[in-house]
């Protein structure tokens, strides 16, 4: 199967930013969508806007049962899953010396364990069907390490490692895709508790960041390829972004 029309796509973190833009982009091309995130009001208004082929299931990706239930909701509603997009992520940046271990835990739980729970929720299903695609949203932070972003970078390196391992273990059956954006203007970083870092990040996103729609285009490109073509990584930065 190639193209986007009629593909069943599960998207985590669909309540804002990149996840929301991907949902809108794929909906235009006729995908059937199961949207997951915690903020039900946002999910509901997006699903209402997109119409009958979009549904949602309130999901906290740090809860394994929630992620299993999200996948089940997609299968119950649409019959199967063609694509999982592990997009949910958080970025409360800080220096290691600030000792914000609770924030490190949160990033590990959402950005790494959430991705693994997603993979687990669809893997048997996709292997049985000998067909499927898992798209993990990593980051340029998965390609380098920056001061004040050590734990976040660690989580995004892990996402890339998991995606590559998934690709190798499921070759011939499942397409594994990493999308690594640079700065994008979204709500990401609103939870940074160090004011200086937050100002820097939010200013960069606002002044030079990509639009979430730019990343949605990369997702649409990777999904629309024929089954025999696996786009394994897209690295996409604002032209002015150096690192
Ligand atoms: P947003 O903050 O706009 O979106 C993050 C999404 O993740 C929200 O929908 C949020 O929904 C969801 N989320 C957070 N925690 C959980 C949770 N525990 N369970 C379920 N969903 C959760 O940021 P972006 O759109 O920018 O982020 C999307 C992805 O893109 C992330 O993985 C991020 O790391 C990555 N990225 C972003 C870049 C950027 O500059 N913006 C650059 C590189 C990568 P809710 O709160 O409703 O649960």
């Amino acid at each position: 199967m190639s193209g986007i029309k009629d593909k069943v796509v599960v998207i985590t973190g669909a309540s804002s930013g990149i996840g929301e833009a991907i949902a809108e982009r794929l909906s235009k091309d006729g995908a059937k969508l199961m949207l997951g995130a915690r903020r039900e009001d946002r999910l509901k208004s997006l699903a209402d806007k997109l119409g009958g082929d979009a549904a949602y299931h309130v999901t906290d990706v740090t809860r394994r049962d929630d992620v299993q239930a999200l996948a089940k909701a997609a299968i119950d509603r649409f019959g199967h899953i063609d694509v999982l997009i592990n997009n949910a992520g958080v970025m409360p940046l800080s220096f290691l010396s600030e000792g914000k271990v609770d924030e490190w835990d949160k990033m590990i739980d959402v950005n790494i364990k959430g991705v693994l729970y997603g993979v687990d929720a669809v893997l048997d299903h996709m292997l049985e069907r000998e067909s499927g695609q898992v798209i993990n949203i990593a980051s340029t932070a998965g390609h380098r390490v920056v001061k004040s972003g050590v734990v976040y970078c660690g989580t995004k390196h892990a996402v890339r490692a998991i995606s590559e391992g998934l690709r190798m273990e499921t070759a011939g059956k499942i397409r594994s895709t990493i999308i690594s954006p640079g700065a994008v203007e979204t709500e990401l970083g609103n939870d940074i508790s160090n004011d200086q870092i937050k100002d820097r990040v939010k200013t960069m996103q606002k002044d030079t960041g990509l639009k979430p729609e730019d990343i949605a285009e990369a997702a649409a490109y990777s999904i629309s390829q024929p089954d025999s073509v696996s786009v394994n990584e897209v690295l996409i930065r604002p032209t002015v972004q150096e690192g």
Side-chain angles (χ1 to χ4, degrees), residues 190-207:
N190 286 1
D191 57 352
I192 297 172
S193 55
N194 176 316
D195 288 341
Q196 268 185 322
I197 300 172
K198 183 173 179 176
D199 279 354
R200 181 173 49 77
V201 168
K202 297 314 292 184
T203 302
M204 182 173 67
Q205 287 179 345
K206 186 167 167 294
D207 290 352

Side-chain angles (χ1 to χ4, degrees), residues 39-114:
R39 287 171 293 180
E40 183 168 13
D41 54 334
R42 298 269 199 114
L43 291 177
K44 185 175 183 319
S45 61
L46 179 59
D48 288 348
K49 181 177 163 194
L50 299 182
D53 278 341
Y56 70 89
H57 187 87
V58 175
T59 308
D60 181 337
V61 298
T62 68
R63 294 167 179 260
R64 195 173 157 197
D65 290 351
D66 276 19
V67 183
Q68 294 282 339
L70 175 68
K72 185 175 181 307
I75 294 169
D76 289 348
R77 172 75 185 253
F78 300 117
H80 66 274
I81 297 170
D82 292 299
V83 184
L84 167 67
I85 305 181
N86 278 316
N87 164 74
V90 291
M91 192 183 69
L93 301 178
S94 64
F95 292 99
L96 292 175
S97 58
E98 294 178 74
K100 296 183 174 173
V101 178
D102 289 346
E103 295 182 354
W104 305 352
D105 282 343
K106 198 173 167 200
M107 283 187 273
I108 290 164
D109 288 347
V110 176
N111 300 0
I112 302 179
K113 290 171 78 175

Side-chain angles (χ1 to χ4, degrees), residues 13-18 37-39 59-62 87-90 110 137-139 152 156 181-184 186-188 205:
S15 58
S16 63
I18 292 169
R38 293 166 303 174
R39 287 171 293 180
T59 308
D60 181 337
V61 298
T62 68
N87 164 74
V90 291
V110 176
I137 307 296
S139 170
Y152 181 71
K156 293 302 187 178
V184 186
T186 68
E187 295 171 25
L188 195 78
Q205 287 179 345

